[in-house]
């Protein structure tokens, strides 16, 4: 069973060799790697060529720069494996990743196999995040449950997403992707292209296997806040909210409303925290309270907060969400700054 590993490459010369070395170290050998050079202006094209010369399982696709989603699409079109796996070049995987996923795919005949991941911070410290138990989903009702809990978690869950929205480190049956004509939307048009791809795939898949493996290592690499900050992030998150809602409206609203509202509330919380982190450090004169008030005034967020059972959330999320509901930006800033200082 061949696995096509799609790796989009752009300005990652610092990390690419680590990523590829982890792929070469896999205990499962029936794979091909498709390195998609997305018009990278650094040494990445040269590094890609060197890896292709070193191992015949590695192929290189060169394209004009179009962004992460478009590079992944080029990889999909070049793939020949039964399954697709997406690997970002600044991440890496432990030697057993492909083997663990392949065993579950073959044993369960699953269209999708997903596990957890290991978060690795810039100091090399690791934190494991795994789904809540191993499980096989089959049939329309169970697949709908998986789809909805990929959008967001019920309030009591400790994490905002019971099943992560990322596409990385999973197996996707390629025939399902091709039969549905599935491709990534551009992240320049719609933030979190991973979530949209997952929802579209789950709508068409017949089965999925969830395993407890966390061999995919997601690296939060050191970088300037100015590179991660987006002034329009919340507006982009509202666009994502509407795109997700359109996909959910074919199902009974009672099944997905709380999960969709948690998605928007969690995105707003993240956006507010990022605004505070960026402007406190990079631009202290910025009218931060005004920006947070603008976010809190959004009609979609007001509707999501109106009857959301915030008291059922984990403690700190509950306090922050209550402050959002009551429109208390000064209290939210105090919580963010306290957390930054002491945690």
């Amino acid at each position: 069973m061949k696995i096509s590993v799609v790796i989009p490459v752009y300005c990652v010369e610092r990390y690419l060799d680590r990523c590829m070395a982890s792929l070469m170290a896999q205990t499962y050998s029936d794979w091909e790697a498709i390195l998609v050079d997305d018009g990278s202006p650094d040494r990445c094209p040269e590094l890609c060529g060197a890896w292709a010369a070193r191992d015949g399982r590695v192929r290189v696709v060169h394209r004009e720069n179009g962004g992460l989603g478009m590079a992944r699409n080029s990889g999909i079109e070049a793939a020949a494996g039964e399954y697709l796996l997406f690997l970002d070049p600044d991440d890496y995987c432990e030697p057993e990743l492909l083997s663990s996923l392949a065993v579950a795919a073959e044993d369960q005949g699953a269209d999708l196999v997903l596990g957890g991941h290991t978060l690795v911070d810039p100091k090399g410290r690791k934190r494991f995040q795994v789904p809540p138990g191993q499980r096989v989903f089959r049939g329309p009702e169970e697949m709908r449950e998986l789809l909805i809990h990929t959008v967001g978690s019920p309030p009591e869950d400790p994490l905002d997403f019971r099943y992560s929205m990322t596409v990385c480190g999973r197996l996707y049956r390629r025939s399902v992707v091709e039969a549905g004509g599935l491709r990534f939307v551009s992240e320049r048009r719609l933030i979190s292209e991973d979530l949209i791809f997952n929802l579209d795939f789950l709508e068409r898949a017949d089965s999925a296997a969830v395993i407890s493996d966390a061999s995919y290592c997601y690296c939060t690499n050191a970088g300037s806040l100015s590179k991660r900050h987006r002034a329009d992030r919340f507006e982009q998150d509202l666009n994502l909210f509407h795109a997700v809602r359109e996909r959910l409206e074919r199902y009974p609203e009672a099944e997905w409303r709380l999960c969709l509202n948690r998605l928007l509330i969690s995105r707003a919380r993240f956006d507010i925290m990022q605004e505070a982190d960026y402007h406190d450090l990079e631009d202290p004169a910025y009218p931060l309270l005004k920006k947070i008030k603008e976010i809190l005034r959004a009609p979609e967020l007001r509707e999501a907060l109106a009857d959301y059972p915030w008291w059922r959330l984990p403690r700190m999320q509950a306090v922050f969400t209550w402050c959002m509901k009551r429109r208390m930006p000064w209290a939210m800033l105090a919580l963010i700054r306290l957390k930054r200082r002491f945690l």
Side-chain angles (χ1 to χ4, degrees), residues 170-185:
R170 301 178 172 194
L171 291 186
Y172 296 85
R173 191 182 296 277
R174 190 167 64 90
S175 61
V176 176
V177 173
E178 295 299 349
L182 302 183
R183 294 295 186 269
F184 287 90
V185 298

Side-chain angles (χ1 to χ4, degrees), residues 21-53:
S22 75
L23 186 57
M24 295 293 169
Q26 291 296 300
T27 57
Y28 187 86
S29 61
D30 192 5
W31 54 263
E32 63 170 0
I34 303 167
L35 290 164
V36 183
D37 164 34
D38 191 33
S40 188
D42 58 2
R43 293 181 55 248
C44 281
E46 176 186 340
L47 294 175
C48 289
W51 281 105

Side-chain angles (χ1 to χ4, degrees), residues 184-199:
F184 287 90
V185 298
S186 172
E187 72 279 6
R188 298 172 183 177
R189 182 171 68 87
L190 190 61
I191 199 168
S192 192
E193 68 283 359
D194 285 24
L195 177 56
I196 297 302
F197 184 89
N198 274 324
L199 298 185

